[in-house]
Amino acid sequence: LDEDMKAAGLEKKVVDGLRYTSPEVLAVVRRVTQRENLKLVEALQGAGVRATSILSGTFEAQLLDQEKYGLVGKVVRVDIEAIEAAVAADSIPVIASLGETAGGQILNVNADWAANELVKKMQPYKIIFLTGTGGILDERGKLIESISLSTQYEHLMKQPWLHSGMRVKLEQIHDLLMDLPP
């Protein structure tokens, strides 16, 4: 996304760990989201696995704070009908984290927030979060092999090296785990 924004002459602006989303940025977000979703579906299908692209209709969202974040939304409702239909057809649903207002405005939704709301709705037995870095990195840039959020969360959140997207990701995972049954 950063590369496509740069190619479009758009500067990345992050506010509180969230990408500020102007209408121009949203156009790039939508294009990249669709392209990467379809690439993942094609890769799964190329490996002999059935996969279904779900680009919209899953996350109803409301503007978070348009003045502060632009067209960034917070999920208020999750519709799982398309996901359940894909699973019933033995197909892996590949879901884009774009939201839509009740009036049809597309919104950029933090992927972790979208995943968390989906997990709360579906309550699966297991959840796996993937990152470009392979996980959370410590102050030396090394992967932290294992984290127990029940005992280490407060300590980790005080670390100056935990910032931006990783901080948001850790907060979201912690909140999710606190909302679900053990």
Side-chain angles (χ1 to χ4, degrees):
L1 179 56
D2 290 344
E3 291 172 12
D4 280 41
M5 283 184 54
K6 191 173 184 177
L10 298 170
E11 187 176 319
K12 179 179 180 179
K13 178 181 173 187
V14 177
V15 180
D16 300 334
L18 298 173
R19 181 184 306 273
Y20 179 86
T21 306
S22 66
E24 296 79 15
V25 169
L26 183 60
V28 176
V29 167
R30 289 179 68 192
R31 185 174 60 249
V32 170
T33 298
Q34 181 175 5
R35 181 185 70 218
E36 297 303 316
N37 181 286
L38 293 175
K39 280 168 112 175
L40 184 52
V41 167
E42 289 170 4
L44 287 165
Q45 291 174 345
V49 178
R50 291 184 68 181
T52 302
S53 174
I54 301 175
L55 295 171
S56 64
T58 301
F59 303 108
E60 182 178 325
Q62 292 178 342
L63 283 164
L64 191 57
D65 180 339
Q66 190 167 8
E67 188 174 317
K68 187 173 184 178
Y69 304 108
L71 295 172
V72 173
K74 177 176 173 46
V75 175
V76 294
R77 190 177 69 77
V78 178
D79 183 353
I80 60 173
E81 287 182 14
I83 296 165
E84 290 175 327
V87 171
D90 293 326
S91 183
I92 296 174
V94 180
I95 307 154
S97 64
L98 292 172
E100 301 163 47
T101 66
Q105 170 66 54
I106 303 294
L107 298 176
N108 188 13
V109 174
N110 177 284
D112 293 323
W113 292 358
N116 286 355
E117 294 305 317
L118 180 62
V119 166
K120 287 176 190 175
K121 175 88 175 190
M122 297 190 79
Q123 297 206 353
Y125 177 71
K126 190 173 199 172
I127 309 158
I128 300 171
F129 289 90
L130 304 175
T131 68
T133 60
I136 296 178
L137 307 179
D138 66 15
E139 68 274 12
R140 297 179 312 273
K142 296 201 179 240
L143 182 67
I144 300 174
E145 294 287 330
S146 176
I147 297 173
S148 171
L149 289 181
S150 61
T151 59
Q152 296 175 296
Y153 178 73
E154 295 299 328
H155 171 74
L156 286 169
M157 294 307 287
K158 292 177 184 172
Q159 302 309 307
W161 46 264
L162 184 69
H163 55 81
S164 303
M166 280 299 168
R167 180 177 202 80
V168 172
K169 186 176 294 298
L170 195 62
E171 287 171 343
Q172 293 300 312
I173 293 170
H174 175 265
D175 292 351
L176 176 64
L177 292 175
M178 296 301 109
D179 285 345
L180 293 175

